[in-house]
Amino acid sequence: MGLPESREGQQDRLPPGQRLQRGWPVTHYGPVPKFKPDRWEFRVFGATADGDKHCWNHEEFSAMPYSTVLADLHCVTKYSMLGAEWGGVASRTILELAPPAPDVTHVMVWAEYGFSSNLRIADFATEQTIFATHKGGEPLTAEHGFPVRLLVPHLYAWKGPKWVRGIEYMTADRRGFWEERGYHNIGDPWDEQRYSYQEVPGDGPEL
Ligand SMILES: Nc1nc2c(c(=O)[nH]1)N[C@H]1C(S)=C(S)[C@@H](COP(=O)(O)O)O[C@H]1N2
Ligand SMILES: [Mo]
C-alpha cells in the first residue's frame, strides 16, 4: 500500500534529523504581545537607498500587495510542518517599496519586546520569504504571530520572528536574539546548522 498519497514525497522534504509534526505547536520565548492597532507600525530603517525611514501603519500594511506561498517550517527542536499555505507581504515587495542601499549585506528583522533575527540579504530576498498575516486563508492567531510574522522556509524557523515590527538594513552582519544565545548564525536545516559551535569562519561575526 505504501504511504497515503498526501504523505508521498514528504520524506525527502524533511531535512536531516527532523520529524513530521501533526498539528501546529506554539514555540517561542517570552509572553505573547497584545496587538495595539493605533500604536503598531511596520518600519524599514538602517541603510535604506534614500537614507529615509519608511513606515506603514496597520491599515497601510494590510493594503500592500498580497502574496501566497506554500512553505515548510523547520523548528530546530526537530519538528517540521510541511506545505502550509501562507499569505501576506512578500519580502520582495518590501525590498521594492523601501529598497536597501547598494552596500547592504544583511537584514535584522525586529519584533515586539526586542526579539530579533539576522539574515543575509539573499536569504531575506528569496521568492518564498514572506511576512505572513494568514495561514490556510485564516488570519494568524495571537500566539502564532498576529498581526505579522516572517517565514524564511529554507532556514530554521527561529529565523522567522513572530510579531514583526520592522527590518533594519545593515552593511555588516550582527547577531540576533537566538544567534547570540548559542544558535547558528545562518541556520540552514539541510546542513543541520543548529548551534553556533558548528560555525566555521565566515559563517558569522565573532561571539
Ligand atoms: N518573536 C519571536 N518569534 C519567534 C520565536 C520567538 O521566540 N520569538 N521563536 C521562533 C521559533 S524557534 C519557532 S520554531 C517558530 C514557531 O512558530 P509557531 O509558534 O507559529 O509554530 O517561531 C519563531 N519565531
Ligand atoms: Mo524553533
Side-chain angles (χ1 to χ4, degrees), residues 42-56 61 64-65 89-104 106-108 121 124-125 131 165-170:
F42 186 97
R43 206 183 294 202
V44 179
F45 62 102
T48 56
D50 61 8
D52 289 339
K53 199 157 73 175
H54 299 255
C55 297
W56 293 268
F61 191 87
M64 278 195 200
V89 179
S91 64
R92 291 189 170 189
T93 301
I94 301 292
L95 288 164
E96 277 163 30
L97 293 174
D103 54 343
V104 166
H106 292 80
V107 173
M108 189 73 82
I121 187 83
F124 177 74
F131 290 97
R165 291 294 300 276
I167 62 169
E168 177 185 358
Y169 290 136
M170 306 195 294

Side-chain angles (χ1 to χ4, degrees), residues 27 74-77 79 157-158:
T27 313
H74 309 295
C75 176
V76 70
T77 63
Y79 70 82
W158 85 77

Side-chain angles (χ1 to χ4, degrees), residues 125 130 149 172 195:
I130 188 163
R149 61 107 38 96
Y195 307 110

Side-chain angles (χ1 to χ4, degrees), residues 182-197:
Y183 287 92
H184 197 283
N185 192 57
I186 295 168
D188 183 340
W190 299 96
D191 283 341
E192 282 202 73
Q193 294 177 332
R194 296 177 190 273
Y195 307 110
S196 51
Y197 64 74

Side-chain angles (χ1 to χ4, degrees), residues 132-151:
T133 55
H134 290 71
K135 178 177 163 282
E138 298 288 328
L140 294 174
T141 57
E143 63 269 28
H144 286 301
F146 181 84
V148 184
R149 61 107 38 96
L150 184 66
L151 252 116

Side-chain angles (χ1 to χ4, degrees), residues 29 114-116 175-184 195-196 207:
Y29 174 80
F115 185 87
S116 61
R175 289 173 188 269
F177 182 88
W178 288 120
E179 295 82 5
E180 270 185 339
R181 290 168 175 77
Y183 287 92
H184 197 283
Y195 307 110
S196 51
L207 265 164

Side-chain angles (χ1 to χ4, degrees), residues 3-4 12 34 59 78 86 91 100 104 108 131-132 136 166 182-183 200:
L3 288 170
D12 47 323
K34 191 166 158 41
E59 202 183 329
K78 301 201 166 177
W86 303 87
S91 64
V104 166
M108 189 73 82
F131 290 97
Y183 287 92
V200 297

